[in-house]
Amino acid sequence: MNKPLMSKATAVWLVDNTTLTFKQVAAFCGLHELEVQGIADGDVATGVKGFDPVSNNQLEHGEIEKAQADPHYRLKLKFIASAVGEEKRRGPRYTPLSKRQDRPASILWLVKFHPELTDGQVGKLVGTTKPTIQAIRERTHWNINNITPIDPVALGLCKQSELDAAVQVAVRKKAAEGGVMSDDERRKLVSTEQSLGMSEEPKMPSSIAGLENFSMTEKDDEDDKKTDYSNADSFFNLPDADDEDDEDEDSIDPRRK
């Protein structure tokens, strides 16, 4: 046992009945230090009744005294021989009833966009059985025509980190087998962190990048050669000076002469 039973209720009791630091209580109960501080402030575990670990044979009273005397001391859970080997076994992922109808859509998405994932990996991600995955993969599912592929992360059936971890396992397996991946397969095997770190601007293939720069430069040179800058007046579109003088003379009142 790594932490006591009813760890949050135990933390409530330790906060109310001892002078242990938040860090000591958090380390013993498997909680975050800020969560323990929230319990002390009354913001967390409101209405939770404290659970005495001493009377319930989970902690020795001497351990509390040692921890109160030394803030750096860590409480040690009492050894219970009957609890040895009673660790919780990992079973299939539990899917809430409200989301079970979304599993076929997520399975189809995984099969379509991550075909490198095995049936076992898909089953662990969305909590389904291999016959269902096989039926959707082979398009023999009874409702295959009405299923739309949807990202399981968007549906809340798995975490993005779990999906990335499964993809990384597929990458290592593919590399161990020595298979050559296509560009589409390599793009699918990229994790979310790597995808977000990529540049948004599309990269030009190196084979034609130099050719385009050369052609654009040559075209600009030709345009510069065709433009004649020898006649500055025509370039700036300036009006003739004589015409302006004539207009000024005509505008003078003859009676002033």
Side-chain angles (χ1 to χ4, degrees), residues 29 75 86 120 126 166-167 172 197 210-211 224-225 254-256:
C29 298
L75 294 171
E86 293 295 329
V126 299
V167 170
R172 292 192 293 268
L211 178 61
D224 294 341
K225 290 180 181 179
R255 288 177 296 180
R256 295 182 179 180

Side-chain angles (χ1 to χ4, degrees), residues 17-256:
N17 297 276
T18 66
T19 58
L20 298 174
T21 63
F22 296 154
K23 193 171 185 179
Q24 288 175 314
V25 176
F28 178 71
C29 298
L31 303 175
H32 194 276
E33 187 175 352
L34 295 178
E35 191 173 3
V36 178
Q37 183 177 355
I39 293 175
D41 295 337
D43 299 330
V44 180
T46 305
V48 176
K49 185 179 180 180
F51 185 76
D52 186 358
V54 178
S55 61
N56 288 280
N57 200 27
Q58 297 188 89
L59 184 65
E60 295 285 350
H61 186 71
E63 287 290 315
I64 296 178
E65 294 179 350
K66 292 179 182 179
Q68 290 180 147
D70 183 8
H72 299 287
Y73 184 80
R74 293 292 176 264
L75 294 171
K76 297 178 181 179
L77 191 65
K78 187 176 180 180
F79 176 76
I80 303 176
S82 59
V84 176
E86 293 295 329
E87 295 181 358
K88 184 179 179 181
R89 298 179 181 178
R90 284 192 70 182
R93 179 189 294 272
Y94 173 75
T95 304
L97 293 175
S98 59
K99 295 182 179 181
R100 290 183 184 180
Q101 60 183 0
D102 298 330
R103 283 189 296 192
S106 62
I107 295 171
L108 183 59
W109 188 92
L110 292 172
V111 169
K112 181 178 180 180
F113 294 101
H114 291 286
E116 71 281 355
L117 296 177
T118 63
D119 292 350
Q121 289 177 311
V122 175
K124 290 181 180 179
L125 287 173
V126 299
T128 186
T129 59
K130 290 185 179 181
T132 303
I133 301 172
Q134 196 68 22
I136 294 177
R137 192 185 294 273
E138 297 175 356
R139 302 192 66 83
T140 58
H141 192 270
W142 65 273
N143 197 30
I144 190 64
N145 295 327
N146 299 323
I147 300 176
T148 303
I150 304 177
D151 189 349
V153 178
L155 293 174
L157 294 175
C158 68
K159 298 179 182 179
Q160 186 65 55
S161 58
E162 296 173 344
L163 178 58
D164 290 343
V167 170
Q168 292 300 323
V169 171
V171 172
R172 292 192 293 268
K173 184 178 180 181
K174 195 80 174 180
E177 293 176 353
V180 179
M181 293 183 294
S182 62
D183 293 339
D184 292 338
E185 291 177 342
R186 186 174 287 105
R187 196 159 39 245
K188 292 175 183 177
L189 294 178
V190 172
S191 64
T192 304
E193 296 179 357
Q194 295 173 341
S195 175
L196 294 175
M198 291 182 177
S199 175
E200 296 182 359
E201 298 182 359
K203 295 183 179 180
M204 183 179 298
S206 58
S207 58
I208 65 173
L211 178 61
E212 181 177 354
N213 294 335
F214 175 77
S215 60
M216 292 175 64
T217 305
E218 184 178 0
K219 185 177 180 180
D220 295 340
D221 295 341
E222 291 179 358
D223 294 340
D224 294 341
K225 290 180 181 179
K226 290 180 181 180
T227 306
D228 185 12
Y229 300 104
S230 59
N231 188 355
D233 294 338
S234 62
F235 178 74
F236 288 104
N237 239 350
L238 299 175
D240 296 335
D242 297 338
D243 295 340
E244 291 181 355
D245 296 340
D246 294 342
E247 291 178 2
D248 293 339
E249 292 177 359
D250 295 341
S251 63
I252 298 175
D253 191 350
R255 288 177 296 180
R256 295 182 179 180

